[in-house]
Amino acid sequence: MFKKILIANRGEIALRVIRTCREMGIRTVAVYSTADAESLHVRFADEAVCIGPPASKDSYLKVQRILAAAEITNAEAIHPGYGFLAENAEFSRICQEHNIKFIGPSPEMIGAMGDKSTAKDNMIKFGVPVVPGSDGTISDLKEAEAIAKDIGYPVIIKATAGGGGRGMRIVKEPADFKRMFDSARSEAGSAFGNPEVYVEKFIENPRHVEFQILGDRHGYITHLGERDCSMQRRHQKILEESPSPVMEPELREKMGQAAIRAAETVQYEGAGTVEFLVDKDLNFYFMEMNTRIQVEHPVTEEVTFTDLIRYQIEVAAGAPLSRKPFKMRGHAIECRINAEDPAHNFRPSAGKIDVFHVPGGRSVRVDTHVYSGYRVPPFYDSMIAKLIVSGSNRTEAIARMKRALEEFIIEGIKTTIPYHIQLMDDPTFISGDFNTHFLEKQFKFIPKDTP
Ligand code: MV4
């Protein structure tokens, strides 16, 4: 087992990794920008190395500085968390070359899954269901229009290098196709340096359901059930839960096996997530595979009684996974608490937190790096805490979440807590019958007593 791990990240996920390392008796090295000197990941790590000024590109994305920090502290492995360098093939390769174990995907796995059209083609070869569409990418307009006509409108054009909705266009009718095709290609070109797009049938009102996967070096791959991430706004997840309200044992078995096959296409090692779209008839389609630990991993931990970071570290060290299937029990929900003002179009709200009181009680978990007196820096993403609750069923979990949100006191900055409190009372959320468009098209947040 590793004696020392460097955590190439900040915020709650850096702290999350440090916590597991401490429980495993592994020493930790934090890296931080000058804006994060007062963050808890710096305080709770055994050692900390300042790697530069606030801007991510000058600190958390500086490969050479992070490697230098690992070398001077004799760290044997690097955990990248999520975001920053977590899915950077170059960083993964350079770690390999410096004999530092990257606790994440190999450059090959990042390459195979990072290109969405290639990933989709591999899925077809391995019998994983995908949305009907073009065979690979297409650059010829006439050819693309013919395919769109063939699969039937509406269609969606997607950037092969994309993700998170960029370079994506929904086309309702043939008259719009040329304009959308050109703009998708040009947006993809400037955003990703790769204009290639592919076309597929647009699935109306889908749910986003993703499976947590673990693979070991010995070729064994298993899943830990699903998370429903349909509660999104502008491609940002707001709330996640496990199990999915639409899941039944038979569907879980089918989707779980498809997710395992998806991971097998690249002999996946480590923790990963296979995303599916699920339509109203519960047909499911592979979307993409994320080769990292995700923000929402705690809901899986709470229903499977596991520590996913521990598994990541163990399989990176070469340990085999147990062949016993994971069991799920109860229901868990996570609300992302962002330093944003939901009354003003979610504008960022950085600044000093005067009071930070976290909820407690049974089955309530708060993953956060902040505390009373902490200053939220304006340079990074706005998530300041994750509130995760569990219960024996969904109804109990919702009631507990509402109670915990009401106990959460954050003064000095605006947060998304009031938005989540209203969501807990929404009949559509409570019914479990919602899709990825619900938050933007249906849910209306009504600000209370804000000037
Ligand atoms: C789709 C789709 C409908 N049909 N693909 C959005 C980001 C990327 N991960 C894929 N996305 C979508 N792909 C087909 N063929 C609808 C979406 C989509 C979406 C998916 C998940 C969560 C929120 C979404 C919001 C809008 C569109």
Side-chain angles (χ1 to χ4, degrees), residues 117-118 121 133-138 197-199:
S117 174
T118 306
D121 289 345
S134 61
D135 194 355
T137 58
I138 17 173
V197 297
Y198 59 103
V199 179

Side-chain angles (χ1 to χ4, degrees), residues 142-155 174 177 199 201:
K142 291 285 166 254
E143 209 183 310
E145 279 178 322
I147 289 160
K149 182 166 177 254
D150 201 49
I151 56 185
Y153 283 84
V155 299
F177 194 88
V199 179
K201 181 87 189 160

Side-chain angles (χ1 to χ4, degrees), residues 352-374:
K352 187 170 173 229
I353 298 179
D354 299 312
V355 180
F356 191 78
H357 168 82
V358 299
R362 188 178 166 205
S363 304
V364 175
R365 165 176 172 183
V366 181
D367 281 15
T368 184
H369 60 292
V370 318
Y371 50 85
S372 289
Y374 177 86

Side-chain angles (χ1 to χ4, degrees), residues 131 156 158 168 200-203 232 235 277 288 436:
V131 182
I156 184 166
K158 292 180 174 180
M168 200 170 87
E200 59 188 32
K201 181 87 189 160
F202 179 65
I203 308 294
Q232 315 202 355
H235 302 292
L277 287 183
E288 46 193 81
T436 54

Side-chain angles (χ1 to χ4, degrees), residues 183-336:
S183 73
R185 281 180 57 89
S186 116
E187 187 175 311
S190 36
F192 314 112
N194 176 359
E196 293 301 308
V197 297
Y198 59 103
V199 179
E200 59 188 32
K201 181 87 189 160
F202 179 65
I203 308 294
E204 314 232 23
N205 303 324
R207 296 184 77 109
H208 171 133
V209 177
E210 58 183 34
F211 274 70
Q212 178 68 52
I213 291 292
L214 281 174
D216 67 20
R217 194 173 297 174
H218 313 275
Y220 178 71
I221 301 178
T222 186
H223 78 81
L224 293 87
E226 79 284 358
R227 298 183 283 261
D228 196 306
C229 308
S230 302
M231 285 289 174
Q232 315 202 355
R233 265 191 91 246
R234 301 186 183 163
H235 302 292
Q236 296 288 326
K237 293 169 188 165
I238 297 285
L239 173 154
E240 307 92 354
E241 57 184 306
S242 185
S244 166
V246 293
M247 200 50 69
E248 294 292 343
E250 204 177 307
L251 181 62
R252 181 176 295 120
E253 176 62 24
K254 276 201 300 192
M255 290 184 75
Q257 289 312 311
I260 289 170
R261 278 202 305 283
E264 281 171 349
T265 64
V266 288
Q267 291 151 41
Y268 196 74
E269 224 186 281
T273 299
V274 181
E275 293 182 8
F276 296 98
L277 287 183
V278 177
D279 71 16
K280 61 178 189 336
D281 302 316
L282 301 185
N283 297 305
F284 61 90
Y285 311 93
F286 170 86
M287 275 293 106
E288 46 193 81
M289 178 164 183
N290 300 319
T291 54
R292 60 168 187 273
I293 194 75
Q294 290 192 258
V295 173
E296 60 272 24
H297 77 275
V299 295
T300 298
E301 295 186 324
E302 297 307 315
V303 296
T304 58
F305 301 85
T306 55
D307 178 340
L308 287 168
I309 305 290
R310 177 186 267 266
Y311 281 123
Q312 279 192 299
I313 294 169
E314 285 176 349
V315 302
L321 289 163
S322 155
R323 307 285 149 142
K324 216 170 84 214
F326 289 95
K327 281 201 192 74
M328 297 171 80
R329 206 180 83 198
H331 198 99
I333 303 176
E334 169 179 282
C335 288
R336 297 191 186 194

